[in-house]
Amino acid sequence: QDRHLQGETFFVVSFLPFALETHALKMATVKDISGHAFVNALAEHLRRSGQVVAPEWTGIVKTATFKELAPLDPNWYYLRSAAVARNVYLRPEIGVSKLRDTFGGAKNNGVRPSHHRKASGKIIRTILQQLEKANILEKGEEGRQVSKNGRKELDRIAFQIYSAPK
């Protein structure tokens, strides 16, 4: 079988430079970059653009029943808004209850065992309403999902982070 291969010259074509070139031009999405970097960049974008406005009560509320104090960061509302938008992007058709569970945590019961508690629903509901008003999210059949304009905007921010010099 291998007799017809004797004396033949084979050329190996390397596609490596082409692959690197296409990798550099790849359109990055929210799934391709770290959550921390994306949430910080989106929070700054939401704050600067005015698409999300922090309500008056953000300085005095706790984010959950298991918390002892209100958040110390003055921009916590924008960070939470960005985190909610990222969660809806990654898990479409998600509602307030699942988001409350996601942002919940352990309640410290002293010497007794800790138990999971949900986050505040009012905060998450207000954020979802503002993101809908900004045309980033829309209502789906079973919950909220990212709109076409919202997906385009979130992917654009993700690509800016991805293509930024490191």
Side-chain angles (χ1 to χ4, degrees), residues 63 96 100 119-126:
T63 56
V96 175
R100 285 183 68 195
S120 170
K122 167 76 173 180
I123 296 170
I124 292 173
R125 203 169 18 262
T126 307

Side-chain angles (χ1 to χ4, degrees), residues 45-147:
H45 171 74
L46 293 174
R47 187 179 66 77
R48 284 188 178 166
S49 67
Q51 291 178 328
V52 172
V53 179
E56 303 168 355
W57 44 261
T58 55
I60 56 174
V61 297
K62 300 189 305 180
T63 56
T65 58
F66 62 89
K67 298 284 188 179
E68 293 184 9
L69 298 172
L72 298 175
D73 184 9
N75 293 324
W76 72 267
Y77 190 79
Y78 301 105
L79 287 169
R80 179 61 60 96
S81 300
V84 166
R86 181 176 179 273
N87 267 285
V88 174
Y89 184 99
L90 297 176
R91 295 172 203 84
E93 299 290 331
I94 192 169
V96 175
S97 180
K98 287 286 186 189
L99 287 169
R100 285 183 68 195
D101 218 17
T102 301
F103 289 103
K107 177 169 174 51
N108 183 2
N109 291 325
V111 296
R112 294 174 296 162
S114 299
H115 295 288
H116 182 79
R117 294 288 178 258
K118 289 185 176 184
S120 170
K122 167 76 173 180
I123 296 170
I124 292 173
R125 203 169 18 262
T126 307
I127 288 171
L128 288 173
Q129 289 167 354
Q130 286 189 358
L131 290 173
E132 275 184 46
K133 199 173 188 180
N135 201 18
I136 294 173
L137 301 182
E138 62 187 13
K139 286 187 179 176
E141 294 176 15
E142 296 182 16
R144 302 301 206 295
Q145 60 189 17
V146 179
S147 66

